[in-house]
Amino acid sequence: MRVDGKQYRSLWWDEEADALAIIDQRWLPHAFRVEHVRSMDAFVEAIVQMRVRGAPLIGATAAYGIALAMRLDPSDGALAAATARLLATRPTAVNLRWALDRCRLQLAPLPASERPAAARALARRIADEDVEINRAIGAHGLPLIRQIHDRTDRPVNILTHCNAGWIATVDLGTATSPIYQAHDAGIPVHVWVDETRPRNQGALTAWELAAHGVPHTYVVDNAGGLLMQRGQVDMVVTGTDRTTRRGDVCNKIGTYLKALAARDSGVPFYVALPSPTIDWTVSDGAEIVIEERDGREVSHVIGRTEDGPAEVAVSPPGSPVGNWAFDVTPARLVTGLITERGVCAATEAGLGALFPDVASAVA
Ligand code: MRU
C-alpha cells in the first residue's frame, strides 16, 4: 500500500543494507520509521516489542529470521536453536509456528551448504504468498459488502477491531482487504475503527484507511454496542491470530464482546482468515494460550506531542493492572469465515470443505 505516495510492503529484504527492512510500528501513526534488522537478537526483539506485529507479519518476519540464522550458521544445531528462540517470542498467533514449521520441514533435509539460499527464497515465498492470500480474501469478502449496499443503497458501515490491515500482514491486510476492494470498486463504505486499548492498534487502521481515502471514524472500544443497537453497523469484520479447526476465533482482546453485541443486535460478524492462521491441531478455543503482556501497556499510553511521540501514565501509581492481549470468540457467534478459498461457516465441516487437503493431513 502507499505511504506519502510511495508503495510499501510492511517488510522487505534491503539488498543495499543487506538486512531486513521493517516499519517500526511502535511509533505509528505518529512517526513513520523504517529500520533494519540484522541480528538474531534484533529479530527476537522486533517481534517481542511489537516493532512488527499482526499474525501474518510475525510469521513472515520469523521466516526471514531463519534465513539470517542459516546465513550465519547453516548447521542442524543452529536451525533448531533459531527456531526455538523465534517460537518463544509470542505465544498466541499461530502463524509464527506455521512459518517456523514450514522452514524446518523444507530446510532440514537439505545439505547445510544449500540452506542459506533456500531459506532466503522460502522467506520471500512466504511473504509473496501472504499478499496473494490477502488479495483472494478481499475478492471473496467484496460480494458480502456489495450485497449490503445493493440492499440498502447507502454507504455500508463496517466495524473493525484491532489492526488487521496491510501493516499487520505483508500487504493489503486481511479484514481490510475486502474494504479496500469495495472502496476501489466504487462501493461507498464507512468504517468504525475501535481504538483497541491497550496498544491502540485501531490508530494504525485509521492511519491506513486515511492514506487510502476510505471514510472512517475512530471510536472508543465500548462504542460498538451502542452503534449496533442503533442500526449504525451493517457488518463487523475482524482479523484473527489463531482459529481452531472448529472455527473458534482468537483475536485481539475485546473481539468477543463485539461478537456478543453483534449477535444481540442481529449484525453479521465475519472474520477474515488466511489459512496459515488456522490451527488444525486445536479444536476448542479454550486451549489457546492467551498472551499476557507488560502491565505498562495498560497503565500508560503513547501519544503525540509537539515534540514527537511520548508516553504518559493513565492509571494511579501502584494500582495493579492486568493485560491479556487476546480473547476467544466461540464459533457459534461467527457468521462466516472469509478465507482465500471462499467464505465458509465457522465449523469443522465448513473449514474442512474449503481445505480438505490440509484438514485430512492433520486428521
Ligand atoms: O497484538 P497484535 O497487534 O499482534 O495483534 C494483532 C491482531 O489481533 C490482529 O487483529 C490479528 O493479528 C489479525 S492480523 C491480520
PDB file of all heavy atoms in Angstrom, residues 50 52-56 58 90 93 161-165 168-169 173-175 199 201 238-241 250-253 255 272 274 291 293 325-326, ligand 1:
ATOM      1  N   MET A  50       6.997  -5.714  19.498  1.00  0.00           N
ATOM      2  CA  MET A  50       5.942  -5.347  18.548  1.00  0.00           C
ATOM      3  C   MET A  50       6.343  -4.200  17.613  1.00  0.00           C
ATOM      4  O   MET A  50       5.534  -3.370  17.255  1.00  0.00           O
ATOM      5  CB  MET A  50       4.618  -5.071  19.270  1.00  0.00           C
ATOM      6  CG  MET A  50       4.065  -6.339  19.903  1.00  0.00           C
ATOM      7  SD  MET A  50       2.644  -6.131  20.979  1.00  0.00           S
ATOM      8  CE  MET A  50       1.387  -5.526  19.866  1.00  0.00           C
ATOM      9  N   VAL A  52       7.293  -5.202  14.799  1.00  0.00           N
ATOM     10  CA  VAL A  52       6.421  -5.880  13.831  1.00  0.00           C
ATOM     11  C   VAL A  52       5.360  -6.606  14.643  1.00  0.00           C
ATOM     12  O   VAL A  52       5.643  -7.108  15.722  1.00  0.00           O
ATOM     13  CB  VAL A  52       7.185  -6.887  12.943  1.00  0.00           C
ATOM     14  CG1 VAL A  52       8.090  -6.179  11.980  1.00  0.00           C
ATOM     15  CG2 VAL A  52       7.961  -7.887  13.783  1.00  0.00           C
ATOM     16  N   ARG A  53       4.148  -6.635  14.112  1.00  0.00           N
ATOM     17  CA  ARG A  53       3.058  -7.259  14.848  1.00  0.00           C
ATOM     18  C   ARG A  53       1.983  -7.678  13.839  1.00  0.00           C
ATOM     19  O   ARG A  53       2.066  -7.352  12.665  1.00  0.00           O
ATOM     20  CB  ARG A  53       2.487  -6.307  15.896  1.00  0.00           C
ATOM     21  CG  ARG A  53       2.276  -4.891  15.362  1.00  0.00           C
ATOM     22  CD  ARG A  53       1.151  -4.188  16.019  1.00  0.00           C
ATOM     23  NE  ARG A  53      -0.126  -4.828  15.718  1.00  0.00           N
ATOM     24  CZ  ARG A  53      -0.761  -4.701  14.566  1.00  0.00           C
ATOM     25  NH1 ARG A  53      -0.293  -3.970  13.579  1.00  0.00           N
ATOM     26  NH2 ARG A  53      -1.909  -5.321  14.356  1.00  0.00           N
ATOM     27  N   GLY A  54       0.956  -8.377  14.346  1.00  0.00           N
ATOM     28  CA  GLY A  54      -0.050  -8.902  13.438  1.00  0.00           C
ATOM     29  C   GLY A  54       0.371 -10.308  13.026  1.00  0.00           C
ATOM     30  O   GLY A  54       1.538 -10.531  12.660  1.00  0.00           O
ATOM     31  N   ALA A  55      -0.568 -11.237  13.120  1.00  0.00           N
ATOM     32  CA  ALA A  55      -0.223 -12.652  12.952  1.00  0.00           C
ATOM     33  C   ALA A  55       0.545 -12.959  11.657  1.00  0.00           C
ATOM     34  O   ALA A  55       1.622 -13.574  11.703  1.00  0.00           O
ATOM     35  CB  ALA A  55      -1.501 -13.491  13.051  1.00  0.00           C
ATOM     36  N   PRO A  56       0.060 -12.544  10.484  1.00  0.00           N
ATOM     37  CA  PRO A  56       0.797 -12.909   9.264  1.00  0.00           C
ATOM     38  C   PRO A  56       2.180 -12.270   9.191  1.00  0.00           C
ATOM     39  O   PRO A  56       3.138 -12.902   8.726  1.00  0.00           O
ATOM     40  CB  PRO A  56      -0.111 -12.391   8.133  1.00  0.00           C
ATOM     41  CG  PRO A  56      -1.479 -12.322   8.747  1.00  0.00           C
ATOM     42  CD  PRO A  56      -1.238 -11.905  10.164  1.00  0.00           C
ATOM     43  N   ILE A  58       4.130 -11.468  11.711  1.00  0.00           N
ATOM     44  CA  ILE A  58       5.028 -12.164  12.638  1.00  0.00           C
ATOM     45  C   ILE A  58       5.580 -13.430  11.966  1.00  0.00           C
ATOM     46  O   ILE A  58       6.770 -13.737  12.053  1.00  0.00           O
ATOM     47  CB  ILE A  58       4.279 -12.522  13.949  1.00  0.00           C
ATOM     48  CG1 ILE A  58       3.897 -11.263  14.724  1.00  0.00           C
ATOM     49  CG2 ILE A  58       5.147 -13.427  14.824  1.00  0.00           C
ATOM     50  CD1 ILE A  58       2.949 -11.532  15.902  1.00  0.00           C
ATOM     51  N   ARG A  90       6.295 -14.852  20.855  1.00  0.00           N
ATOM     52  CA  ARG A  90       4.900 -14.539  21.195  1.00  0.00           C
ATOM     53  C   ARG A  90       4.103 -15.844  21.114  1.00  0.00           C
ATOM     54  O   ARG A  90       4.255 -16.603  20.155  1.00  0.00           O
ATOM     55  CB  ARG A  90       4.327 -13.461  20.253  1.00  0.00           C
ATOM     56  CG  ARG A  90       5.000 -12.098  20.426  1.00  0.00           C
ATOM     57  CD  ARG A  90       4.231 -10.998  19.712  1.00  0.00           C
ATOM     58  NE  ARG A  90       2.975 -10.697  20.365  1.00  0.00           N
ATOM     59  CZ  ARG A  90       2.059  -9.865  19.853  1.00  0.00           C
ATOM     60  NH1 ARG A  90       2.267  -9.283  18.694  1.00  0.00           N
ATOM     61  NH2 ARG A  90       0.927  -9.628  20.493  1.00  0.00           N
ATOM     62  N   ALA A  93      -0.419 -16.003  18.296  1.00  0.00           N
ATOM     63  CA  ALA A  93      -0.611 -16.064  16.837  1.00  0.00           C
ATOM     64  C   ALA A  93       0.075 -17.315  16.276  1.00  0.00           C
ATOM     65  O   ALA A  93       1.278 -17.495  16.416  1.00  0.00           O
ATOM     66  CB  ALA A  93      -0.050 -14.807  16.176  1.00  0.00           C
ATOM     67  N   HIS A 161     -12.046  -4.230  14.646  1.00  0.00           N
ATOM     68  CA  HIS A 161     -11.353  -4.157  15.934  1.00  0.00           C
ATOM     69  C   HIS A 161      -9.894  -4.499  15.708  1.00  0.00           C
ATOM     70  O   HIS A 161      -9.579  -5.368  14.911  1.00  0.00           O
ATOM     71  CB  HIS A 161     -11.996  -5.157  16.903  1.00  0.00           C
ATOM     72  CG  HIS A 161     -11.553  -5.005  18.333  1.00  0.00           C
ATOM     73  ND1 HIS A 161     -11.904  -3.921  19.108  1.00  0.00           N
ATOM     74  CD2 HIS A 161     -10.787  -5.784  19.120  1.00  0.00           C
ATOM     75  CE1 HIS A 161     -11.379  -4.059  20.325  1.00  0.00           C
ATOM     76  NE2 HIS A 161     -10.680  -5.177  20.348  1.00  0.00           N
ATOM     77  N   CYS A 162      -9.007  -3.818  16.422  1.00  0.00           N
ATOM     78  CA  CYS A 162      -7.566  -4.004  16.281  1.00  0.00           C
ATOM     79  C   CYS A 162      -7.111  -3.549  14.889  1.00  0.00           C
ATOM     80  O   CYS A 162      -7.781  -2.749  14.234  1.00  0.00           O
ATOM     81  CB  CYS A 162      -7.156  -5.445  16.550  1.00  0.00           C
ATOM     82  SG  CYS A 162      -5.370  -5.650  16.826  1.00  0.00           S
ATOM     83  N   ASN A 163      -5.985  -4.026  14.463  1.00  0.00           N
ATOM     84  CA  ASN A 163      -5.499  -3.724  13.122  1.00  0.00           C
ATOM     85  C   ASN A 163      -5.238  -5.031  12.407  1.00  0.00           C
ATOM     86  O   ASN A 163      -4.331  -5.780  12.776  1.00  0.00           O
ATOM     87  CB  ASN A 163      -4.218  -2.883  13.150  1.00  0.00           C
ATOM     88  CG  ASN A 163      -3.580  -2.775  11.768  1.00  0.00           C
ATOM     89  OD1 ASN A 163      -2.654  -3.501  11.447  1.00  0.00           O
ATOM     90  ND2 ASN A 163      -4.099  -1.906  10.938  1.00  0.00           N
ATOM     91  N   ALA A 164      -6.092  -5.312  11.435  1.00  0.00           N
ATOM     92  CA  ALA A 164      -5.868  -6.459  10.551  1.00  0.00           C
ATOM     93  C   ALA A 164      -5.684  -5.896   9.150  1.00  0.00           C
ATOM     94  O   ALA A 164      -6.238  -6.378   8.173  1.00  0.00           O
ATOM     95  CB  ALA A 164      -7.027  -7.437  10.620  1.00  0.00           C
ATOM     96  N   GLY A 165      -4.894  -4.841   9.086  1.00  0.00           N
ATOM     97  CA  GLY A 165      -4.663  -4.131   7.836  1.00  0.00           C
ATOM     98  C   GLY A 165      -3.341  -4.523   7.198  1.00  0.00           C
ATOM     99  O   GLY A 165      -2.696  -5.483   7.635  1.00  0.00           O
ATOM    100  N   ALA A 168      -0.340  -5.210   9.339  1.00  0.00           N
ATOM    101  CA  ALA A 168      -0.331  -6.426  10.173  1.00  0.00           C
ATOM    102  C   ALA A 168       0.012  -7.664   9.345  1.00  0.00           C
ATOM    103  O   ALA A 168       0.162  -8.757   9.892  1.00  0.00           O
ATOM    104  CB  ALA A 168      -1.694  -6.628  10.828  1.00  0.00           C
ATOM    105  N   THR A 169       0.086  -7.455   8.035  1.00  0.00           N
ATOM    106  CA  THR A 169       0.381  -8.552   7.112  1.00  0.00           C
ATOM    107  C   THR A 169       1.586  -8.094   6.282  1.00  0.00           C
ATOM    108  O   THR A 169       2.245  -7.123   6.624  1.00  0.00           O
ATOM    109  CB  THR A 169      -0.829  -8.819   6.200  1.00  0.00           C
ATOM    110  OG1 THR A 169      -1.042  -7.669   5.359  1.00  0.00           O
ATOM    111  CG2 THR A 169      -2.094  -9.083   7.025  1.00  0.00           C
ATOM    112  N   GLY A 173      -3.593  -6.523   3.956  1.00  0.00           N
ATOM    113  CA  GLY A 173      -4.367  -6.819   5.151  1.00  0.00           C
ATOM    114  C   GLY A 173      -5.342  -7.954   4.921  1.00  0.00           C
ATOM    115  O   GLY A 173      -5.574  -8.398   3.799  1.00  0.00           O
ATOM    116  N   THR A 174      -5.929  -8.423   6.024  1.00  0.00           N
ATOM    117  CA  THR A 174      -6.952  -9.472   5.911  1.00  0.00           C
ATOM    118  C   THR A 174      -8.333  -8.812   6.007  1.00  0.00           C
ATOM    119  O   THR A 174      -9.040  -8.707   5.011  1.00  0.00           O
ATOM    120  CB  THR A 174      -6.759 -10.547   6.997  1.00  0.00           C
ATOM    121  OG1 THR A 174      -6.782  -9.932   8.294  1.00  0.00           O
ATOM    122  CG2 THR A 174      -5.437 -11.273   6.805  1.00  0.00           C
ATOM    123  N   ALA A 175      -8.687  -8.301   7.181  1.00  0.00           N
ATOM    124  CA  ALA A 175     -10.007  -7.666   7.330  1.00  0.00           C
ATOM    125  C   ALA A 175     -10.157  -6.443   6.436  1.00  0.00           C
ATOM    126  O   ALA A 175     -11.264  -6.114   5.991  1.00  0.00           O
ATOM    127  CB  ALA A 175     -10.232  -7.285   8.796  1.00  0.00           C
ATOM    128  N   ARG A 199      -2.890  -1.069  23.213  1.00  0.00           N
ATOM    129  CA  ARG A 199      -1.831  -0.528  22.344  1.00  0.00           C
ATOM    130  C   ARG A 199      -2.371   0.293  21.182  1.00  0.00           C
ATOM    131  O   ARG A 199      -1.620   0.739  20.315  1.00  0.00           O
ATOM    132  CB  ARG A 199      -0.927  -1.654  21.844  1.00  0.00           C
ATOM    133  CG  ARG A 199      -0.019  -2.187  22.968  1.00  0.00           C
ATOM    134  CD  ARG A 199       0.995  -3.166  22.452  1.00  0.00           C
ATOM    135  NE  ARG A 199       1.996  -2.547  21.621  1.00  0.00           N
ATOM    136  CZ  ARG A 199       3.300  -2.499  21.907  1.00  0.00           C
ATOM    137  NH1 ARG A 199       3.744  -3.021  23.032  1.00  0.00           N
ATOM    138  NH2 ARG A 199       4.148  -1.942  21.083  1.00  0.00           N
ATOM    139  N   GLN A 201      -4.075  -0.314  18.429  1.00  0.00           N
ATOM    140  CA  GLN A 201      -3.823  -0.705  17.029  1.00  0.00           C
ATOM    141  C   GLN A 201      -4.870  -0.134  16.077  1.00  0.00           C
ATOM    142  O   GLN A 201      -4.657  -0.083  14.866  1.00  0.00           O
ATOM    143  CB  GLN A 201      -3.788  -2.231  16.893  1.00  0.00           C
ATOM    144  CG  GLN A 201      -2.552  -2.886  17.476  1.00  0.00           C
ATOM    145  CD  GLN A 201      -2.802  -3.392  18.886  1.00  0.00           C
ATOM    146  OE1 GLN A 201      -3.612  -2.824  19.617  1.00  0.00           O
ATOM    147  NE2 GLN A 201      -2.117  -4.442  19.279  1.00  0.00           N
ATOM    148  N   THR A 238     -13.333  -8.663  11.484  1.00  0.00           N
ATOM    149  CA  THR A 238     -12.070  -8.601  12.231  1.00  0.00           C
ATOM    150  C   THR A 238     -11.071  -9.566  11.603  1.00  0.00           C
ATOM    151  O   THR A 238     -11.418 -10.373  10.748  1.00  0.00           O
ATOM    152  CB  THR A 238     -12.256  -9.006  13.714  1.00  0.00           C
ATOM    153  OG1 THR A 238     -12.454 -10.427  13.781  1.00  0.00           O
ATOM    154  CG2 THR A 238     -13.415  -8.287  14.367  1.00  0.00           C
ATOM    155  N   GLY A 239      -9.853  -9.482  12.084  1.00  0.00           N
ATOM    156  CA  GLY A 239      -8.848 -10.477  11.733  1.00  0.00           C
ATOM    157  C   GLY A 239      -8.832 -11.571  12.787  1.00  0.00           C
ATOM    158  O   GLY A 239      -9.745 -11.666  13.620  1.00  0.00           O
ATOM    159  N   THR A 240      -7.811 -12.392  12.772  1.00  0.00           N
ATOM    160  CA  THR A 240      -7.657 -13.433  13.785  1.00  0.00           C
ATOM    161  C   THR A 240      -6.187 -13.813  13.915  1.00  0.00           C
ATOM    162  O   THR A 240      -5.420 -13.719  12.952  1.00  0.00           O
ATOM    163  CB  THR A 240      -8.501 -14.680  13.467  1.00  0.00           C
ATOM    164  OG1 THR A 240      -8.099 -15.758  14.325  1.00  0.00           O
ATOM    165  CG2 THR A 240      -8.342 -15.126  12.019  1.00  0.00           C
ATOM    166  N   ASP A 241      -5.823 -14.207  15.120  1.00  0.00           N
ATOM    167  CA  ASP A 241      -4.446 -14.648  15.391  1.00  0.00           C
ATOM    168  C   ASP A 241      -4.325 -16.160  15.417  1.00  0.00           C
ATOM    169  O   ASP A 241      -3.238 -16.716  15.265  1.00  0.00           O
ATOM    170  CB  ASP A 241      -3.966 -14.066  16.716  1.00  0.00           C
ATOM    171  CG  ASP A 241      -3.845 -12.564  16.604  1.00  0.00           C
ATOM    172  OD1 ASP A 241      -4.870 -11.877  16.774  1.00  0.00           O
ATOM    173  OD2 ASP A 241      -2.744 -12.088  16.290  1.00  0.00           O
ATOM    174  N   CYS A 250      -9.622 -16.743  17.908  1.00  0.00           N
ATOM    175  CA  CYS A 250      -8.833 -15.978  18.865  1.00  0.00           C
ATOM    176  C   CYS A 250      -8.351 -14.705  18.179  1.00  0.00           C
ATOM    177  O   CYS A 250      -7.754 -14.765  17.100  1.00  0.00           O
ATOM    178  CB  CYS A 250      -7.657 -16.825  19.346  1.00  0.00           C
ATOM    179  SG  CYS A 250      -6.687 -16.002  20.616  1.00  0.00           S
ATOM    180  N   ASN A 251      -8.635 -13.586  18.782  1.00  0.00           N
ATOM    181  CA  ASN A 251      -8.215 -12.297  18.207  1.00  0.00           C
ATOM    182  C   ASN A 251      -8.001 -11.311  19.356  1.00  0.00           C
ATOM    183  O   ASN A 251      -8.168 -11.650  20.532  1.00  0.00           O
ATOM    184  CB  ASN A 251      -9.274 -11.784  17.219  1.00  0.00           C
ATOM    185  CG  ASN A 251      -8.760 -10.633  16.373  1.00  0.00           C
ATOM    186  OD1 ASN A 251      -7.692 -10.719  15.786  1.00  0.00           O
ATOM    187  ND2 ASN A 251      -9.505  -9.542  16.305  1.00  0.00           N
ATOM    188  N   LYS A 252      -7.634 -10.108  19.014  1.00  0.00           N
ATOM    189  CA  LYS A 252      -7.307  -9.068  19.994  1.00  0.00           C
ATOM    190  C   LYS A 252      -8.376  -8.970  21.084  1.00  0.00           C
ATOM    191  O   LYS A 252      -9.564  -9.063  20.810  1.00  0.00           O
ATOM    192  CB  LYS A 252      -7.168  -7.735  19.246  1.00  0.00           C
ATOM    193  CG  LYS A 252      -6.801  -6.542  20.072  1.00  0.00           C
ATOM    194  CD  LYS A 252      -5.532  -6.744  20.851  1.00  0.00           C
ATOM    195  CE  LYS A 252      -4.373  -7.197  19.972  1.00  0.00           C
ATOM    196  NZ  LYS A 252      -3.206  -7.675  20.710  1.00  0.00           N
ATOM    197  N   ILE A 253      -7.936  -8.734  22.305  1.00  0.00           N
ATOM    198  CA  ILE A 253      -8.841  -8.630  23.444  1.00  0.00           C
ATOM    199  C   ILE A 253      -9.963  -7.620  23.121  1.00  0.00           C
ATOM    200  O   ILE A 253      -9.703  -6.532  22.624  1.00  0.00           O
ATOM    201  CB  ILE A 253      -8.055  -8.220  24.719  1.00  0.00           C
ATOM    202  CG1 ILE A 253      -8.901  -8.352  25.968  1.00  0.00           C
ATOM    203  CG2 ILE A 253      -7.456  -6.834  24.606  1.00  0.00           C
ATOM    204  CD1 ILE A 253      -8.904  -9.724  26.553  1.00  0.00           C
ATOM    205  N   THR A 255     -12.559  -8.534  21.110  1.00  0.00           N
ATOM    206  CA  THR A 255     -13.274  -9.033  19.930  1.00  0.00           C
ATOM    207  C   THR A 255     -14.531  -9.806  20.352  1.00  0.00           C
ATOM    208  O   THR A 255     -15.605  -9.670  19.746  1.00  0.00           O
ATOM    209  CB  THR A 255     -12.341  -9.947  19.094  1.00  0.00           C
ATOM    210  OG1 THR A 255     -11.173  -9.202  18.753  1.00  0.00           O
ATOM    211  CG2 THR A 255     -13.023 -10.427  17.833  1.00  0.00           C
ATOM    212  N   ALA A 272     -11.914 -12.403   8.806  1.00  0.00           N
ATOM    213  CA  ALA A 272     -11.035 -12.634   7.647  1.00  0.00           C
ATOM    214  C   ALA A 272      -9.915 -13.568   8.104  1.00  0.00           C
ATOM    215  O   ALA A 272      -9.167 -13.241   9.021  1.00  0.00           O
ATOM    216  CB  ALA A 272     -10.474 -11.308   7.152  1.00  0.00           C
ATOM    217  N   PRO A 274      -6.797 -15.973   6.870  1.00  0.00           N
ATOM    218  CA  PRO A 274      -5.853 -16.634   5.968  1.00  0.00           C
ATOM    219  C   PRO A 274      -5.569 -18.046   6.483  1.00  0.00           C
ATOM    220  O   PRO A 274      -5.485 -18.246   7.700  1.00  0.00           O
ATOM    221  CB  PRO A 274      -4.590 -15.766   6.058  1.00  0.00           C
ATOM    222  CG  PRO A 274      -4.756 -14.905   7.263  1.00  0.00           C
ATOM    223  CD  PRO A 274      -6.183 -14.945   7.720  1.00  0.00           C
ATOM    224  N   GLU A 291      -1.758 -14.614  25.394  1.00  0.00           N
ATOM    225  CA  GLU A 291      -0.564 -13.854  25.775  1.00  0.00           C
ATOM    226  C   GLU A 291      -0.901 -12.826  26.863  1.00  0.00           C
ATOM    227  O   GLU A 291      -1.889 -12.091  26.750  1.00  0.00           O
ATOM    228  CB  GLU A 291      -0.026 -13.131  24.523  1.00  0.00           C
ATOM    229  CG  GLU A 291       1.201 -12.277  24.781  1.00  0.00           C
ATOM    230  CD  GLU A 291       1.732 -11.647  23.490  1.00  0.00           C
ATOM    231  OE1 GLU A 291       1.042 -11.701  22.453  1.00  0.00           O
ATOM    232  OE2 GLU A 291       2.844 -11.110  23.531  1.00  0.00           O
ATOM    233  N   ARG A 293       0.769  -9.581  28.561  1.00  0.00           N
ATOM    234  CA  ARG A 293       1.848  -8.655  28.257  1.00  0.00           C
ATOM    235  C   ARG A 293       2.112  -7.714  29.439  1.00  0.00           C
ATOM    236  O   ARG A 293       1.390  -7.701  30.432  1.00  0.00           O
ATOM    237  CB  ARG A 293       1.505  -7.865  26.979  1.00  0.00           C
ATOM    238  CG  ARG A 293       1.418  -8.778  25.748  1.00  0.00           C
ATOM    239  CD  ARG A 293       1.241  -7.973  24.474  1.00  0.00           C
ATOM    240  NE  ARG A 293       2.324  -7.045  24.272  1.00  0.00           N
ATOM    241  CZ  ARG A 293       3.491  -7.353  23.694  1.00  0.00           C
ATOM    242  NH1 ARG A 293       3.702  -8.575  23.247  1.00  0.00           N
ATOM    243  NH2 ARG A 293       4.421  -6.433  23.553  1.00  0.00           N
ATOM    244  N   ALA A 325      -3.813 -10.067  26.129  1.00  0.00           N
ATOM    245  CA  ALA A 325      -3.769  -9.455  24.797  1.00  0.00           C
ATOM    246  C   ALA A 325      -4.847  -9.976  23.847  1.00  0.00           C
ATOM    247  O   ALA A 325      -5.162  -9.307  22.857  1.00  0.00           O
ATOM    248  CB  ALA A 325      -2.387  -9.671  24.176  1.00  0.00           C
ATOM    249  N   PHE A 326      -5.398 -11.150  24.124  1.00  0.00           N
ATOM    250  CA  PHE A 326      -6.338 -11.761  23.170  1.00  0.00           C
ATOM    251  C   PHE A 326      -7.522 -12.367  23.906  1.00  0.00           C
ATOM    252  O   PHE A 326      -7.456 -12.596  25.112  1.00  0.00           O
ATOM    253  CB  PHE A 326      -5.625 -12.866  22.359  1.00  0.00           C
ATOM    254  CG  PHE A 326      -4.445 -12.338  21.568  1.00  0.00           C
ATOM    255  CD1 PHE A 326      -3.162 -12.417  22.082  1.00  0.00           C
ATOM    256  CD2 PHE A 326      -4.620 -11.738  20.339  1.00  0.00           C
ATOM    257  CE1 PHE A 326      -2.072 -11.909  21.381  1.00  0.00           C
ATOM    258  CE2 PHE A 326      -3.543 -11.229  19.625  1.00  0.00           C
ATOM    259  CZ  PHE A 326      -2.266 -11.313  20.150  1.00  0.00           C
TER     260      PHE A 326
HETATM  261  O1  MRU B   1      -1.003  -7.958  19.296  1.00  0.00           O
HETATM  262  P1  MRU B   1      -1.061  -7.744  17.809  1.00  0.00           P
HETATM  263  O2  MRU B   1      -1.094  -6.324  17.407  1.00  0.00           O
HETATM  264  O3  MRU B   1      -0.004  -8.550  17.091  1.00  0.00           O
HETATM  265  O4  MRU B   1      -2.465  -8.377  17.430  1.00  0.00           O
HETATM  266  C1  MRU B   1      -2.928  -8.344  16.114  1.00  0.00           C
HETATM  267  C2  MRU B   1      -4.346  -8.744  15.968  1.00  0.00           C
HETATM  268  O5  MRU B   1      -5.001  -9.119  16.911  1.00  0.00           O
HETATM  269  C3  MRU B   1      -4.875  -8.761  14.591  1.00  0.00           C
HETATM  270  O6  MRU B   1      -6.231  -8.462  14.562  1.00  0.00           O
HETATM  271  C4  MRU B   1      -4.641 -10.157  14.039  1.00  0.00           C
HETATM  272  O7  MRU B   1      -3.274 -10.489  14.126  1.00  0.00           O
HETATM  273  C5  MRU B   1      -5.024 -10.298  12.673  1.00  0.00           C
HETATM  274  S1  MRU B   1      -3.821  -9.524  11.653  1.00  0.00           S
HETATM  275  C6  MRU B   1      -4.198  -9.767  10.062  1.00  0.00           C
END
